[in-house]
Structure formats: structure tokens, C-alpha cells
């Protein structure tokens, strides 16, 4: 029994957008502005450029070989066991943490109104843990019903997630905009290029754009993968970078100048656990803050749902590579990888226990994700040599320029993640090999 190919282009684009527009737009604009000032606009473009190059390389490979869990299957096809396990394990570490992180983000955002959701040091209270566990169970049920049902639910959620950021940004720009914020208080780039590069990782920018990966994981269930996978990846990334740039402009311009007298680094008064909503409240827009709190819950729920689905396909792919038990390849009567879904549920609930704040999780998660995605440029060049006569509906132009550039930029993102994230990733990789 094989996975059912019932996901069309519209749903694939919404999977990409839902994976990208999660908790990133709720926290990212403030964290990026604190690190880079108005130059955070460059950071978003830089992060989008890096991930767009990687997405282009996967667009060709995934369209030609539309296998479930493509992130872990493609390196196995091109390079064999050692490389595929290394990249597959780092991908699993990244994927399996995503849904719990999104749940954690939703609860952290909601804690501004319901402080009982958090305990000491901003970890989840028992009430927060119980609600988070319930959300993981909801993800499990939706995915177990079938991929078509999952796609319908995600399409509905994603429409809401697209409208709210655009509406919020336009409203803030039209009613509370201070142009001098872009050139006063240290200038446009108050912390230099160091701040710009730091914002790409620590500001949550790469974390947001990593969400394009879910389209690759769902390639085995795409109705017309050779056409739809490349189009969904490209359209999804372009939509999201436009939304993020608009939101960042709105955030920077709407901050009260009096809060910036000591520089962007000291803008913590807007922090709280829901910076966009707190900004709306500081401007007297109580109804907008309520909408943002609702969007935080629904948006993170949607991104967590997509990540949950992708992780089950990654587990299935690792099983097909020979690293997980064969039972993980078994499909239910509704033709979904049910054992991967169940494993994801259990591990996801356990991951809620020791989680610190959303921001503290970013760099480790980004390092694991970018390490696995760095194989995209390598795989596309390898497949050009290994399968030169295979039909390619989408053939990446200038591949010998784009693929090496994407690989080099991916290694820069790893470098920008910092030593703290990299040594933790090294320990996680070592445990995987053991």
C-alpha cells in the first residue's frame, strides 16, 4: 500500500505558507529589530534569499523523485548510508521539535492574558503542559483521519493566518507610523552587519523560512508532483517574504520614539510574551490585540499541525533508509503513516516538559535544520550526474552557480548560529550515531 496522492497545488502552497507564517511573525519582528534596528529589513531579505536558493535546489530534486520524507530520502539515494544518516538524524531533531515549539509559542503568547499557563523561569506550568499535550493529541487525530482532511483543515487556518498579518501591518502603518524610527536612534544600521547577521538566526528569521520544507516532505502525496512541488516552493517563499517585510516595516515604524531613547537593544518594554499584541495595546488598539492573541493560538496551531504531519513522513523515510524499524513504514486504512504519527505524538508531548522560552530554542533548532537542508544543493548536482537522462519537469537554470552559492550561505547560517548551538548539535548528532 502506498501513500495516497490527493494534495493539489493550492494545498501545497498553503502548506508552505502555513509552515513559514507561524510563531515567527509574532515574535520575529521585535527580536530582529532589537538585534539589528531598522536594518532588520535586510535580515529578512537575507534569510529569505538563503532559504529560497535551498528551496530551488529541492524543487528540481523533489519534483523528479517525489518520495515521502524527501529531506532524508534524497541524500540516501545520492550518497548512501553515512551521509543520509547524518542528514536524516539532524532533520529528525529539527522536525520533531517544531510542533512542540509552535505549541510552546502559542501558550507563551497567551500567557500575557493567562499567566497561569507559565511557571517559574517561563517554563510551562502543569496547566500549560496539559493544554499543550491536548493540542498535540488534536494534531494526532487530524493527521490520522487522512491527508485530504488534514489539507482542508490547514487551508482554512492558513487563509486566516495570511489575512491577519497583512491587515495588522496596514492598520499600524496607516494609524501609528513614525518615519524617523528608520534613521534616528543610531541610524538605519545601528549595530552594523554583525547585528544584521545575528538577527537572521537569533531573531527567528531562518526559523520562519525553514517552514518551506514541509512541501518536500509531502511530495509523496502530491497529485502532480513534477509540476506542483516547484511551483508551491517558489510561490510559498515569495508570498511569505512579502508579508514579513510588510510586518517588519509596520513594527519598526509603530514603536513609540520615546521607547528608543536608549537604542533598539533596550526595547524590552515591548517584549512581554506577546510583543505584537503588547504593541497594539500600547497604542490603545485593544480589539487588535485581542485579534492577535487569537491569531497567535490559531496560527501556531496551524504551523504545528503542518510540522506534525511532515515529521511522520520523515520517520517513514528514515525507516525506508533502514534506520528505524520497518513498522514505521506501515500505513493505516486511510493510507497515512500511523506509527510515525503516534511516535511524533509521544515525543512531542515529552518535549513540552523542559522547554525554555521560545527565543532560547531558536538557534539550536535552526542549526539542526540548516545542516540537513544543506544537502539540497549537493543532491541536485549529484542527480544531474547520476541520472542525466531522467525527465525533469523543472530544471534549475544556472544550477552550477546557484547550488554552490546556496551551500556556502547555508554554512554561514550555521556559523551565525554560534558556538552554544553548534556544540549542542554536535552532542545530539553523536547520540544519534551511538
Amino acid at each position: 500500500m502506498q501513500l495516497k496522492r490527493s494534495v493539489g497545488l493550492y494545498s501545497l502552497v498553503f502548506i508552505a505558507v502555513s509552515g513559514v507564517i507561524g510563531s515567527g511573525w509574532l515574535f520575529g519582528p521585535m527580536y530582529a529589530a532589537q538585534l539589528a534596528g531598522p536594518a532588520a529589513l535586510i535580515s529578512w531579505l537575507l534569510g529569505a534569499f538563503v532559504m529560497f536558493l535551498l528551496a530551488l535546489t529541492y524543487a528540481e530534486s523533489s519534483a523528479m523523485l517525489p518520495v515521502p520524507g524527501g529531506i532524508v530520502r534524497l541524500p540516501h539515494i545520492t550518497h548512501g548510508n553515512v551521509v543520509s544518516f547524518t542528514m536524516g538524524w539532524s532533520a529528525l531533531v529539527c522536525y520533531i521539535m517544531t510542533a512542540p515549539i509552535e505549541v510552546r509559542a502559542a501558550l507563551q503568547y497567551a500567557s500575557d492574558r493567562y499567566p497561569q499557563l507559565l511557571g517559574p523561569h517561563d517554563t510551562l506550568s502543569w496547566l500549560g503542559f496539559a493544554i499543550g499535550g491536548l493540542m498535540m493529541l488534536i494534531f494526532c487525530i487530524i493527521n490520522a483521519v487522512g491527508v485530504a482532511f488534514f489539507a482542508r483543515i490547514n487551508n482554512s487556518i492558513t487563509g486566516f493566518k495570511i489575512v491577519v498579518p497583512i491587515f495588522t501591518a496596514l492598520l499600524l502603518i496607516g494609524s501609528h507610523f513614525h518615519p524617523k524610527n528608520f534613521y534616528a536612534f543610531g541610524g538605519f544600521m545601528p549595530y552594523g552587519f554583525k547585528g544584521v547577521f545575528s538577527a537572521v538566526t537569533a531573531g527567528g528569521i531562518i526559523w520562519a523560512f525553514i517552514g518551506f520544507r514541509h512541501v518536500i516532505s509531502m511530495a509523496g502525496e502530491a497529485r502532480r508532483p513534477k509540476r506542483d512541488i516547484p511551483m508551491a516552493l517558489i510561490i510559498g517563499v515569495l508570498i511569505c517574504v512579502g508579508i514579513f517585510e510588510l510586518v517588519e516595516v509596520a513594527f519598526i515604524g509603530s514603536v513609540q520614539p520615546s521607547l528608543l531613547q536608549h537604542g533598539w537593544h533596550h526595547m524590552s518594554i515591548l517584549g512581554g510574551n506577546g510583543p505584537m499584541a503588547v504593541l497594539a495595546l500600547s497604542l490603545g488598539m485593544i480589539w487588535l490585540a485581542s485579534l492577535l492573541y487569537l491569531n497567535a493560538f490559531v496560527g501556531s496551531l496551524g504551523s504545528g499541525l503542518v510540522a506534525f504531519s511532515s515529521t511522520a513522513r520523515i520517520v517513514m523515510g528514515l525507516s525506508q533508509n533502514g534506520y528505524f524499524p520497518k513498522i514505521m513504514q506501515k500505513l493505516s486504512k486511510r493510507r497515512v503513516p500511523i506509527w510515525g504519527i503516534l511516535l511524533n505524538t509521544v515525543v512531542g508531548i515529552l518535549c513540552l516538559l523542559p522547554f525554555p522560552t521560545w527565543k532560547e530554542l531558536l538557534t539550536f533548532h535552526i542549526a539542526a535544520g540548516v545542516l540537513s537542508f544543506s544537502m539540497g544543493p549537493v543532491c541536485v548536482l549529484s542527480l544531474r550526474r547520476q541520472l542525466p537522462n531522467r525527465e525533469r519537469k523543472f530544471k534549475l537554470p544556472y544550477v552550477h552557480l546557484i547550488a554552490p552559492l546556496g551551500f556556502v550561505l547555508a554554512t554561514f547560517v550555521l556559523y551565525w548560529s554560534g558556538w552554544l548551538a553548534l556544540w549542542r548539535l554536535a552532542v545530539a548528532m553523536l547520540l544519534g550515531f551511538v
Side-chain angles (χ1 to χ4, degrees):
M1 186 185 298
Q2 295 186 350
L3 293 169
K4 187 176 181 180
R5 293 194 176 276
S6 57
V7 183
L9 174 62
Y10 177 79
S11 294
L12 285 170
V13 170
F14 270 39
I15 286 171
V17 173
S18 186
V20 173
I21 303 180
S23 53
W25 90 271
L26 296 167
F27 292 94
M30 188 194 74
Y31 290 145
Q34 284 179 323
L35 291 166
L41 294 170
I42 299 176
S43 301
W44 283 105
L45 290 176
L46 179 59
F49 180 67
V50 173
M51 301 313 289
F52 187 65
L53 291 183
L54 296 179
L56 285 175
T57 62
Y58 276 110
E60 177 177 319
S61 302
S62 296
M64 185 178 70
L65 298 172
V67 292
I71 292 284
V72 300
R73 290 291 288 146
L74 291 172
H76 189 79
I77 293 169
T78 59
H79 285 75
N81 290 337
V82 176
V83 173
S84 73
F85 176 78
T86 304
M87 297 305 169
W89 183 255
S90 66
L92 181 64
V93 170
C94 173
Y95 270 71
I96 211 162
M97 289 177 62
T98 304
I101 288 176
E102 291 290 357
V103 168
R104 180 69 177 77
L107 295 174
Q108 183 175 332
Y109 218 83
S111 68
D112 263 5
R113 285 200 168 186
Y114 306 101
Q116 59 269 34
L117 293 174
L118 297 185
H121 309 294
D122 283 339
T123 57
L124 292 180
S125 66
W126 284 108
L127 175 62
F129 176 75
I131 295 175
L134 178 62
M135 292 170 70
M136 294 298 297
L137 289 175
I138 292 172
F139 295 161
C140 176
I141 293 169
I142 292 175
N143 277 275
V145 169
V147 68
F149 179 69
F150 152 77
R152 287 196 297 270
I153 295 293
N154 181 65
N155 289 348
S156 301
I157 293 175
T158 305
F160 180 71
K161 290 169 65 175
I162 292 174
V163 170
V164 172
I166 295 175
F167 173 74
T168 301
L170 293 177
L171 185 64
L172 291 175
I173 291 172
S175 58
H176 299 82
F177 198 73
H178 307 283
K180 75 173 186 178
N181 288 357
F182 289 86
Y183 56 84
F185 314 109
F188 179 75
M189 195 182 293
Y191 308 114
F193 282 104
K194 179 181 178 181
V196 172
F197 296 145
S198 297
V200 172
T201 52
I205 291 172
I206 288 293
W207 150 262
F209 283 111
I210 278 177
F212 82 85
R213 64 194 172 185
H214 304 303
V215 173
I216 302 165
S217 299
M218 302 294 290
E221 289 147 289
R223 193 176 296 134
R224 293 177 295 273
K226 293 180 179 180
R227 185 202 72 171
D228 293 350
I229 296 297
M231 290 185 66
L233 287 169
I234 295 169
I235 294 171
V237 171
L238 292 177
I239 289 174
C240 293
V241 70
I243 292 175
F244 282 130
E245 284 288 296
L246 181 64
V247 170
E248 188 68 60
V249 167
F251 181 85
I252 292 171
S254 299
V255 175
Q256 292 294 335
S258 60
L259 301 178
L260 302 175
Q261 297 299 322
H262 301 290
W264 290 93
H265 277 340
H266 302 282
M267 199 178 44
S268 58
I269 189 170
L270 285 177
N273 289 309
M276 291 297 293
V278 172
L279 174 61
L281 286 173
S282 70
L283 299 174
M285 306 170 77
I286 299 174
W287 65 271
L288 179 60
S290 299
L291 179 63
L292 291 173
Y293 283 120
L294 176 62
N295 180 263
F297 189 81
V298 175
S300 297
L301 186 69
S303 296
L305 175 63
V306 171
F308 191 98
S309 180
S310 294
T311 305
R313 276 72 184 172
I314 291 294
V315 171
M316 183 179 180
L318 286 171
S319 177
Q320 291 171 338
N321 287 352
Y323 307 132
F324 272 32
K326 288 187 176 180
I327 194 174
M328 294 301 173
Q329 301 177 42
K330 186 175 180 181
L331 303 181
S332 69
K333 292 181 180 180
R334 295 181 177 273
R335 294 164 71 178
V336 295
I338 189 63
W339 287 101
I341 291 172
L342 293 174
L343 175 67
N344 196 16
T345 305
V346 174
V347 175
I349 291 174
L350 292 176
C351 283
L352 292 173
L353 282 172
F355 267 23
T357 63
W358 183 89
K359 187 178 180 181
E360 292 170 338
L361 294 167
L362 287 181
T363 51
F364 172 78
H365 186 277
I366 288 169
V370 172
L371 176 61
S372 62
F373 300 148
S374 65
M375 276 302 293
V378 179
C379 288
V380 72
L381 290 175
S382 298
L383 289 170
R384 285 283 183 100
R385 299 188 66 178
Q386 295 168 358
L387 299 172
N389 299 320
R390 182 98 175 201
E391 181 187 10
R392 290 168 168 83
K393 290 289 185 181
F394 173 78
K395 192 169 184 178
L396 180 61
Y398 307 107
V399 67
H400 293 287
L401 173 64
I402 293 175
L405 179 61
F407 181 82
V408 169
L409 290 175
T411 62
F412 272 121
V413 173
L414 285 172
Y415 174 73
W416 298 332
S417 297
W419 172 242
L420 184 62
L422 292 180
W423 80 257
R424 289 174 176 173
L425 178 59
V427 170
M429 298 304 297
L430 179 62
L431 290 174
F433 277 104
V434 171

